Amino acid sequence: QIIITNGCLEAVTLSVMELSAPGETVAIFTPCYSGLLLSLHNLGRNILEIPCASDGPDMSVLENLMAEQAFKVLILSAIAYNPLGFNLSVEVKQRIAALAHQYQSPLIEDDAYGELAYHGQPNSPIVSYASRQTDQKKSAPIIYCGSFSKALTTGFRVGWLATHGNISPFIKRKLSINLTSSQPPQVGLADYLYSEGYRAHINRLRGVLEREINCLSEAVLRHFPTGTQLGQVRGGMFVWVKLPENLESMDLYQAALAHNISLSPGEVFSMAGMATHCIRLSASHPWSDEREAAVVVLGKLTEGLLRAR
Ligand SMILES: Cc1ncc(COP(=O)(O)O)c(C=O)c1O
């Protein structure tokens, strides 16, 4: 069963409202995109941040937290994770689905970037493994949320919330907030989805993004000082960079701003201050000499911060 929402964040927010109450604990992967952190903060939920390495969470930590019932619901993304860019392996996704079933631990799967795994990467969401291997009547809910914001454009504000369980409580939540979602963009999108154009666009976009990310990653490795670390990006449009010698990302952010260069400081990806030495760079614009020059400036600014220590 599915309802159309105003983007993915509304679908996730409605799910959080339905599956937890103010003051209860909601778990997320960290670093985590800031929109979700703000939404959880506004909803008055306690936020439990589960640290992720460049290839995903530590599964034994996740299992222990589920076994201890340390949270009411877990929000997670398996594909082209924003900001780390990992894709969880099929084995890990199967394991998470199985653990959720074993511990009756509800999941909210945010699949906003689900179409943006690079070619050859696994791209089925966790929910697809749950539906195959569990008895629906006994299983904990997995609420599957997504949108066309990343694959097409944020401006459509067309997303969805899907569940194998009862959708009525989610419809009531949606009605109480803003009744329904605007129909004209849905009609236009439906036509496009039935054409061959959408699939062709996604296939092209995956290749384009991978090339842009490679250009950006190589430029960072060329121009940033030794000790800078990058993860391997498997999907999406972001590169996550760990600065050398635990430099503060806010210092680089401020210095970059003075040169008209925009980056996302690690501060905004964790309420618990777990990402202060990292930055996120975006590859959502075509690679160009101007962008290379900006990376050169960032590298020099980083060197300057190291020297000023
Ligand atoms: C992981 C993730 N989920 C959801 C969203 C929000 O999606 P939408 O614009 O469809 O609400 C974002 C936006 O940056 C995101 O990064």
Side-chain angles (χ1 to χ4, degrees):
Q1 295 185 298
I2 180 164
I3 56 173
I4 300 300
T5 56
N6 289 312
C8 183
L9 185 56
E10 183 180 83
V12 172
T13 303
L14 290 171
S15 308
V16 171
M17 291 166 85
E18 185 52 34
L19 297 175
S20 67
E24 289 184 332
T25 299
V26 173
I28 53 164
F29 287 170
T30 200
C32 172
Y33 89 99
S34 53
L36 179 56
L37 292 175
L38 280 176
S39 172
L40 292 175
H41 179 71
N42 290 339
L43 290 171
R45 292 340 187 232
N46 294 328
I47 303 174
L48 173 64
E49 300 191 23
I50 302 177
C52 280
S54 59
D55 58 351
D58 180 329
M59 287 304 292
S60 56
V61 171
L62 186 58
E63 173 160 13
N64 286 340
L65 290 170
M66 277 192 189
E68 290 163 11
Q69 301 192 317
F71 50 80
K72 203 66 202 233
V73 57
L74 168 64
I75 306 169
L76 75 183
S77 302
I79 301 167
Y81 184 80
N82 175 14
L84 294 171
F86 60 68
N87 285 339
L88 296 183
S89 67
V90 170
E91 293 71 32
V92 168
K93 287 186 278 198
Q94 283 172 335
R95 181 98 187 99
I96 292 176
L99 288 173
H101 180 59
Q102 181 182 345
Y103 295 109
Q104 289 294 295
S105 185
L107 303 180
I108 300 170
E109 183 166 16
D110 172 340
D111 203 25
Y113 290 84
E115 297 274 35
L116 301 190
Y118 300 153
H119 290 296
Q121 289 288 323
N123 60 3
S124 310
I126 294 168
V127 71
S128 63
Y129 299 99
S131 55
R132 268 174 234 152
Q133 66 178 210
T134 58
D135 171 354
Q136 289 313 314
K137 291 212 175 76
K138 286 197 222 133
S139 63
I142 299 186
I143 311 299
Y144 180 63
C145 305
S147 72
F148 295 100
S149 300
K150 311 299 169 186
L152 290 176
T153 174
T154 324
F156 279 125
R157 306 312 302 146
V158 176
W160 60 85
L161 180 161
T163 172
H164 288 109
N166 180 6
I167 197 108
S168 304
F170 299 95
I171 295 176
K172 285 187 193 140
R173 295 265 172 203
K174 169 84 180 153
L175 284 171
S176 75
I177 291 175
N178 52 22
L179 297 179
T180 60
S181 297
S182 172
Q183 284 182 356
Q186 296 179 49
V187 174
L189 260 178
D191 267 356
Y192 184 46
L193 294 182
Y194 279 119
S195 75
E196 284 171 14
Y198 178 69
R199 241 335 103 198
H201 160 74
I202 293 297
N203 280 334
R204 199 185 63 85
L205 182 63
R206 285 178 171 157
V208 168
L209 286 177
E210 187 170 9
R211 282 195 297 280
E212 302 294 343
I213 283 288
N214 285 342
C215 290
L216 178 58
S217 303
E218 283 162 19
V220 170
L221 289 173
R222 259 195 314 275
H223 300 301
F224 272 60
T226 320
T228 304
Q229 291 171 29
L230 305 190
Q232 177 74 47
V233 181
R234 312 270 182 206
M237 56 193 86
F238 302 118
V239 175
W240 185 250
V241 182
K242 174 143 189 340
L243 299 173
E245 296 188 23
N246 288 338
L247 286 177
E248 291 296 331
S249 66
M250 274 314 269
D251 293 341
L252 184 58
Y253 170 76
Q254 298 288 2
L257 218 50
H259 291 261
N260 269 335
I261 300 172
S262 165
L263 57 84
S264 304
E267 262 77 0
V268 303
F269 296 90
S270 163
M271 292 278 192
M274 290 164 86
T276 55
H277 309 304
C278 300
I279 57 170
R280 190 192 73 176
L281 299 176
S282 168
S284 57
H285 295 282
W287 187 246
S288 62
D289 291 346
E290 192 188 3
R291 292 180 71 77
E292 171 107 23
V295 176
V296 172
V297 173
L298 287 179
K300 291 208 170 99
L301 292 173
T302 308
E303 269 166 25
L305 291 173
L306 280 177
R307 274 199 305 275
R309 287 209 134 182

